[in-house]
Structure formats: C-alpha cells, structure tokens
Amino acid sequence: MVYGLKIDKKYGKPVKGLLKRKKLYEDSYLPLIKADKIIFPLRTKNDDSIKEIEKYTREYSIKNFKFKLNKRTRSFRRELEKVLPQKIFNRASRAYEQIGDVAIITIFPEMLPYQEKIAESLLETNKGLRLVIKKTDKHSGKKRTQNYEILKGKGSTETTHLENGVKINLDINKVYFSARTANERKRVASLIKNNENVLVLFSGCAPYPLVISKNSLAQKIICIDNNPDAHEYARINIQKNNADNIKAILGDVEKEIKNLKKEFDRIIMPHPTEADYYFADALKVLRKNGIIHLYLFSKKEKINMVKNKVKNMARDNNFFVKKIVVNEQLHVSSEVKKYCFDIYLKSLVN
C-alpha cells in the first residue's frame, strides 16, 4: 500500500506538476482513476509542500491505496521497497543525482543501517552506474567542494559527464558540479546572441562555458575560478571539446576581473552563496547594454528585497536596471530555493 492524493480530475494536470516539482510524486506507480476523481501516488504524506495544493483545490484527501506498478520506470524504488521498512523507504526513494557513471545519494541518520542495501539496489537497477557515493557534509570553502564516502562499486570519483552535446571530465571529490542544472545551462545558452562576449565567474570545470560554446554563436568566452583542480579539468575539457573560443583563468574573481576590459555583453555568476558580493565588480566589465545572470538562494517572500538590492547596487555603479526576470531553480529546503535573476542593464555613463 502506498499513500495517494485523491482530487477532482479537473485539477489533475496542475497538481501533478506541483507534486513532481516538489519531488512528492511516486512515479514507480500508475495513478488511479475513479469516476471524476484521480489519485496520485505519493512518496510521503508528511511534507509541508502538500499544503500548496490548496491554491488549486481545498477538496482533497490522503490515505493508503493499492496502485499498479509503472513498468516503464526504473525498478530502483521497487527493489528498495522489498528490503526497507516502509518508513525508511519513504525517505530513501527520493531521487539521486547521477554524474557520469557515479551516483550521489543522501543518507539520513535513520537510513545508515540500510545504506549498503540502497547502494546495491541502485547498482543492480542502473547498469550505467559504476560507483555509488554518499554526501558526508555540505559544500564549503572557496573551492565549493564536498566530501563523499564510497558505498559500493569500483574505481575513483573521477568521471566523464555527458550534457547538452559536451563531455565534461571531473573528479567529484575535487570539483563542484551539479548535473541538476543542465537545463539551466542550456536555457542561458539559448539566450546568447551571435558574436556576444561572455564572462563566466566561479566557472568550475567549465560546464557553462562548454555548453555555451557548443549551443550558441558566442564570439568569446572567458571563465574564472580559483580552484586549481577545477581549472585543470576546465583546460582539459576545453581541449577535448574543441572549444577554441573559451579561455580559462585561474585566480580569485576579485583580482582577475581587474585585468579584464569593459567588453562583455553577458556575465554569468553561478555561485548562489557569494555571487551578489561580486556584483559591483562584474558591472565594471559589462558593456553599456548588458545582461547579468545572478544566482542566489532566497525565500520566495524575499524576492522583491533582492530585486531592490540589485537596483541599488546598479545605481551606485552608474547602471540602470531595465528589467529583472526571476527564474526558479532548485529547492534547497521547504522554504529556500535557488533562483536565477536575469538582470538587463543600461549604463548611465556615455
């Protein structure tokens, strides 16, 4: 038996979308149709995000239902259900991140006795995996790296990740990288016009520059990162992908940006914990009419506060904000999300 959310069918599409965005939809099972009602399988009933359904309808119920298995989905969750207690399964069945042939999973304290079974199930059901590792702490330090522990599999944490037509070599233990932002990188690349000069700050092993080089007609792409390991992988990736319009610079953003000319049409700042600190520096090398993609963690109710802060910083540096487009990215917690602020600017100085 699995928890199911029962609602009127006419609200099915938006509610299903909400459940998937909140990672509450259990796609190992098929939804049930009963007369004018639809019942969606849930990963858990204990999540505050479920209350957001009330913006579509207040008439819903959650209880146990017997769903049919969805044969088209991976059998990872079904295998877990065989070996884990239901309470543990509800947490363990959440999505994992796959980078190349390495899977990264989160193990909560109550899951520790079962972590090897979880890793075994993952390797058995996903033949594209070689190694399963778990997070042991949060991203920290100037290099934004994270510590991991190998649970099952063979080989090192070095891998090759395929994304948006490019090959990205990296060592997960030495370089910050998120496969979950692949669509965002493609989105930004699609916005770039012919012959733009692009600057990418905090560029890591160069996923943004590589995707932009492959999927746009940018003229020149400069990327800066202070992690020597990331810089070396960026250099290798640029060469292997024949991305001749990319130049990687090793160094601190604050120092290196002083050596650049005011020639960039677009600046990308994918460091959500510190990017706003360098916003004024970025403006110094932005052309008269330019765009900055600023990534930040924020609560939804503080979005307007962030916009006003951006406008004030721009004004203090002789720029006018023409418009700001806010793009919701990933959920960091029940309240905090990662956002990209597409900021369209115009210089107030001739």
Side-chain angles (χ1 to χ4, degrees):
M1 301 288 279
V2 175
Y3 288 119
L5 171 74
K6 186 176 182 181
I7 58 167
D8 195 298
K9 278 199 295 187
K10 65 183 178 182
Y11 303 113
K13 188 174 181 179
V15 169
K16 183 179 180 181
L18 173 67
L19 294 175
K20 287 195 169 187
R21 288 194 303 275
K22 301 294 184 181
K23 303 191 185 305
L24 295 170
Y25 188 87
E26 180 53 85
D27 60 3
S28 295
Y29 302 94
L30 297 171
L32 299 174
I33 305 292
K34 293 188 175 182
D36 61 344
K37 303 294 182 184
I38 187 166
I39 306 164
F40 292 124
L42 298 176
R43 293 180 179 176
T44 178
K45 69 172 183 177
N46 300 315
D47 194 302
D48 291 339
S49 298
I50 290 177
K51 294 179 181 177
E52 292 187 30
I53 293 165
E54 293 180 6
K55 66 184 179 182
Y56 300 111
T57 177
R58 292 182 177 273
E59 295 182 6
Y60 66 91
S61 61
I62 298 175
K63 61 181 182 179
N64 281 316
F65 291 92
K66 189 172 182 179
F67 293 94
K68 290 183 179 180
L69 287 173
N70 185 352
K71 296 179 180 179
R72 292 182 297 176
T73 61
R74 290 178 179 173
S75 57
F76 172 50
R77 295 190 185 108
R78 296 199 293 274
E79 290 300 314
L80 284 182
E81 197 171 19
K82 296 176 184 177
V83 298
L84 299 180
Q86 186 66 41
K87 185 177 179 180
I88 304 298
F89 169 76
N90 286 337
R91 301 204 77 180
S93 62
R94 291 181 181 273
Y96 57 90
E97 182 175 12
Q98 182 171 343
I99 299 176
D101 56 2
V102 180
I104 303 172
I105 60 176
T106 299
I107 299 293
F108 299 103
E110 67 269 27
M111 293 160 57
L112 284 171
Y114 308 94
Q115 63 181 8
E116 288 196 4
K117 288 183 179 180
I118 294 170
E120 285 174 4
S121 296
L122 192 48
L123 285 172
E124 288 172 4
T125 55
N126 187 340
K127 300 305 179 183
L129 291 177
R130 168 182 58 82
L131 190 68
V132 179
I133 61 179
K134 73 169 184 177
K135 300 175 184 177
T136 57
D137 61 10
K138 295 181 179 180
H139 294 106
S140 61
K142 284 190 173 183
K143 295 181 181 179
R144 291 192 293 158
T145 52
Q146 188 169 4
N147 291 322
Y148 298 94
E149 179 185 328
I150 294 176
L151 294 180
K152 285 288 178 179
K154 57 185 179 180
S156 72
T157 50
E158 186 174 53
T159 188
T160 300
H161 184 77
L162 305 180
E163 174 196 309
N164 294 316
V166 300
K167 294 181 179 181
I168 304 171
N169 288 70
L170 71 148
D171 187 325
I172 298 169
N173 257 325
K174 297 178 180 179
V175 176
Y176 171 76
F177 177 82
S178 175
R180 291 172 177 168
T181 51
N183 288 338
E184 172 62 10
R185 287 189 276 271
K186 185 66 177 291
R187 181 189 76 86
V188 172
S190 72
L191 297 175
I192 294 172
K193 297 180 175 62
N194 294 359
N195 300 315
E196 279 194 16
N197 288 341
V198 180
L199 174 62
V200 183
L201 307 179
F202 326 107
S203 52
C205 57
Y208 269 95
L210 292 168
V211 172
I212 290 168
S213 179
K214 180 69 176 181
N215 297 281
S216 78
L217 293 174
Q219 179 174 298
K220 179 168 67 175
I221 306 164
I222 303 293
C223 57
I224 304 174
D225 199 279
N226 66 355
N227 180 348
D229 293 314
H231 176 74
E232 180 59 19
Y233 278 112
R235 189 189 63 76
I236 293 169
N237 291 331
I238 290 167
Q239 185 177 17
K240 286 190 173 183
N241 287 277
N242 298 313
D244 298 331
N245 60 342
I246 302 175
K247 179 183 177 182
I249 298 173
L250 173 62
D252 291 326
V253 164
E254 197 169 13
K255 294 178 181 178
E256 297 300 330
I257 209 166
K258 294 176 182 177
N259 299 321
L260 301 177
K261 296 179 181 178
K262 196 176 183 70
E263 62 175 348
F264 296 98
D265 303 284
R266 190 180 303 265
I267 301 176
I268 302 164
M269 306 176 71
H271 191 336
T273 58
E274 292 188 10
D276 57 335
Y277 175 79
Y278 298 94
F279 185 74
D281 292 313
L283 290 172
K284 294 173 184 176
V285 294
L286 188 71
R287 281 182 169 165
K288 290 184 177 181
N289 286 282
I291 302 164
I292 292 181
H293 300 282
L294 180 69
Y295 293 82
L296 294 172
F297 294 134
S298 177
K299 294 182 178 180
K300 189 173 183 179
E301 61 268 24
K302 292 188 176 181
I303 292 296
N304 287 332
M305 187 185 301
V306 174
K307 286 182 177 181
N308 289 331
K309 182 180 179 181
V310 165
K311 290 175 182 178
N312 290 334
M313 286 192 293
R315 186 179 60 249
D316 291 343
N317 289 273
N318 297 312
F319 272 89
F320 169 72
V321 175
K322 295 189 287 186
K323 70 173 179 177
I324 300 177
V325 179
V326 181
N327 299 278
E328 183 180 310
Q329 305 291 306
L330 305 173
H331 290 257
V332 181
S333 67
S334 59
E335 293 185 341
V336 178
K337 298 175 185 177
K338 179 181 175 183
Y339 293 93
C340 177
F341 295 82
D342 296 342
I343 307 163
Y344 294 77
L345 297 127
K346 181 179 180 180
S347 175
L348 297 173
V349 180
N350 292 327

